[in-house]
């Protein structure tokens, strides 16, 4: 098996483990409503920044409406989402980690 396939397999495995941990942390329930079906894990800071991709503190569990599809969702209205979510996440931890961010080492 070539190197790219092995890397992709490993990345998918880590993604799955990360998702399971995030869903467990949020009790398989949307952080913004009582929905428990089809829960998504949303990265606060984009997963393309390597140092945040599998960080459980960089995630929140959301139903599809609050993740991507509702007028007030994390992807369609990020400013609204940040105002709501900042008290639910470890904002200080993410801020401090961002202060140590090095673009050349941490972006795909």
């Amino acid at each position: 098996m070539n190197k790219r396939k092995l890397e992709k397999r490993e990345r998918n495995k880590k993604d799955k483990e990360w998702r399971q941990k995030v869903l467990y942390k949020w009790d398989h329930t949307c952080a913004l409503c009582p929905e428990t079906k089809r829960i998504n894990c949303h990265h606060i800071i984009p997963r393309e920044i390597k140092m945040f991709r599998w960080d459980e503190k960089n995630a929140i569990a959301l139903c599809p409406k609050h993740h991507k599809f509702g007028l007030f969702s994390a992807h369609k209205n990020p400013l609204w989402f940040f105002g709501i979510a900042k008290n639910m996440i470890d904002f200080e931890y993410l801020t401090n980690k961002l202060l140590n961010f090095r673009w050349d080492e941490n972006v795909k």
Side-chain angles (χ1 to χ4, degrees):
M1 190 173 297
N2 69 29
K3 184 179 176 184
R4 285 174 68 194
K5 283 187 179 182
L6 287 173
E7 288 172 355
K8 184 175 181 179
R9 181 180 287 174
E10 185 63 27
R11 190 173 57 244
N12 289 342
K13 180 182 174 189
K14 287 181 180 180
D15 284 345
K16 186 176 180 180
E17 290 170 356
W18 173 84
R19 184 178 190 282
Q20 290 171 343
K21 289 176 185 177
V22 171
L23 290 176
Y24 179 79
K25 177 182 175 182
W26 291 94
D27 197 27
H28 292 78
T29 304
C30 178
L32 304 179
C33 72
E35 183 63 56
T36 59
K37 295 179 182 169
R38 300 181 307 274
I39 301 300
N40 298 273
C41 297
H42 176 71
H43 287 87
I44 308 299
I45 296 169
R47 67 182 185 178
E48 287 77 18
I49 301 174
K50 293 179 195 176
M51 66 189 279
F52 289 99
R53 183 173 184 131
W54 296 297
D55 189 332
E56 296 166 46
K57 291 184 178 183
N58 182 39
I60 191 166
L62 299 171
C63 66
K65 176 182 149 191
H66 288 117
H67 186 220
K68 285 188 176 182
F69 300 112
L71 178 60
F72 292 99
S73 66
H75 284 274
K76 287 190 178 180
N77 200 330
L79 187 58
W80 167 84
F81 173 73
F82 177 74
I84 297 291
K86 69 181 177 185
N87 296 322
M88 298 177 185
I89 59 172
D90 192 342
F91 182 69
E92 185 176 340
Y93 166 83
L94 293 175
T95 302
N96 288 333
K97 198 166 178 180
L98 267 175
L99 291 174
N100 296 316
F101 174 75
R102 291 188 47 129
W103 184 268
D104 55 333
E105 295 175 2
N106 290 293
V107 178
K108 280 186 184 178

